[in-house]
Amino acid sequence: HIDDEPHHSTLSYDELSNIRVRQRNLVYVVGLPISNCDESSLKTNKWFGRFGKIKKVYCNKKTSHAVRTGSFAAFITFF
């Protein structure tokens, strides 16, 4: 942390929109089939469970993209 840099709360929305937060335990996946848009199935070893113990799965199925393309995105958080 450098003291000369502005704190994130003083940045404008446009400046914040260019910031990406990287978390080593969070994966964002796009293009998943809408038929598999189920948190419990994505936790199985058939999908993402094989990569480690999963803390949380969130399926983003409330977007126009999901309706238009027949696919959805998911956030998978590992322990």
Side-chain angles (χ1 to χ4, degrees), residues 31-50:
L32 295 167
I34 202 81
S35 60
N36 292 24
C37 189
D38 174 46
E39 286 86 353
S40 60
S41 67
L42 293 178
K43 286 183 176 183
T44 65
N45 285 341
K46 183 178 178 184
W47 286 94
F48 299 100
R50 72 175 88 175

Side-chain angles (χ1 to χ4, degrees), residues 4 11 14 19 23 26 35 48-49 54 74:
D4 295 338
L11 299 175
D14 288 336
I19 295 175
Q23 291 178 252
L26 178 66
S35 60
F48 299 100
I54 296 176

Side-chain angles (χ1 to χ4, degrees), residues 19 39 56-57 70 78:
I19 295 175
E39 286 86 353
K56 181 180 177 183
V57 174
F78 293 88

